[in-house]
Amino acid sequence: YNLSVIDPHSGHVLRELSVQGEQAGLAISPDGTRLYIVDGGRDGELRIYDTQHWQVLHREPITNLHNPLGGNRVSLSGNGRWLVVGRYEFERNHWWASVFDTMRLRWLSDDEHTALRARLHTDSAVSGTAKPFAFICGLQWIGHKSRR
């Protein structure tokens, strides 16, 4: 499968990126410099692209991916710092989300994830913008930051 990057003005294909399946999750940084692709079956991969040169900046394996029918399994915070990926464990019928720190290029630990969720409700610096944002992956609500 290929993901086509299309110029919105001309309609021409600028680049094609290979993906592993029909349901790649996509997010783009607020400044447009990074493209995040999560794809694969139950076990997949996160790839971070530099959108100027279309080079892969980082790869990260992911297990227990959530594959929504026709939905996006990723969400990026308003400031582009936190990438949330929907996960699902079939054997236990258990939904959850993992948070990837796009600055440090690593997954948050459970304790860091819990602390981030608590800060989303009290710290305006988390969003980095005045825009409200929410993380929703699958059926699990992750967090919300509203305009004050």
Side-chain angles (χ1 to χ4, degrees):
Y1 298 96
N2 287 319
L3 169 72
S4 297
V5 179
I6 299 172
D7 181 325
H9 301 291
S10 69
H12 293 108
V13 175
L14 301 175
R15 174 86 47 190
E16 288 199 338
L17 305 172
S18 178
V19 293
Q20 298 173 14
E22 295 176 329
Q23 293 186 347
L26 305 173
I28 190 145
S29 63
D31 64 4
T33 61
R34 288 184 175 185
L35 173 65
Y36 302 89
I37 298 178
V38 173
D39 70 341
R42 189 168 169 187
D43 294 328
E45 181 179 59
L46 163 64
R47 287 185 309 287
I48 303 172
Y49 285 87
D50 162 21
T51 59
Q52 183 176 6
H53 300 101
W54 295 104
Q55 300 297 314
V56 176
L57 299 174
H58 186 77
R59 291 177 185 269
E60 193 77 32
I62 305 173
T63 59
N64 296 315
L65 276 175
H66 166 53
N67 289 311
L69 294 175
N72 195 355
R73 64 182 97 179
V74 300
S75 182
L76 191 63
S77 65
N79 66 356
R81 173 76 188 267
W82 313 109
L83 182 73
V84 179
V85 178
R87 312 284 286 277
Y88 180 70
E89 188 174 334
F90 293 92
E91 292 79 17
R92 293 179 29 211
N93 193 26
H94 175 68
W95 299 85
W96 78 99
S98 294
V99 179
F100 187 80
D101 184 334
T102 64
M103 288 180 60
R104 295 183 179 154
L105 300 178
R106 68 176 182 84
W107 296 104
L108 296 186
S109 68
D110 290 342
D111 290 341
E112 291 169 321
H113 186 174
T114 299
L116 176 64
R117 287 177 67 177
R119 283 190 7 229
L120 285 171
H121 297 286
T122 60
D123 185 359
S124 62
V126 172
S127 74
T129 67
K131 298 176 186 174
F133 69 90
F135 296 137
I136 301 175
C137 291
L139 302 175
Q140 181 183 10
W141 179 78
I142 307 306
H144 175 74
K145 177 67 183 165
S146 61
R147 195 183 304 261
R148 292 187 186 263

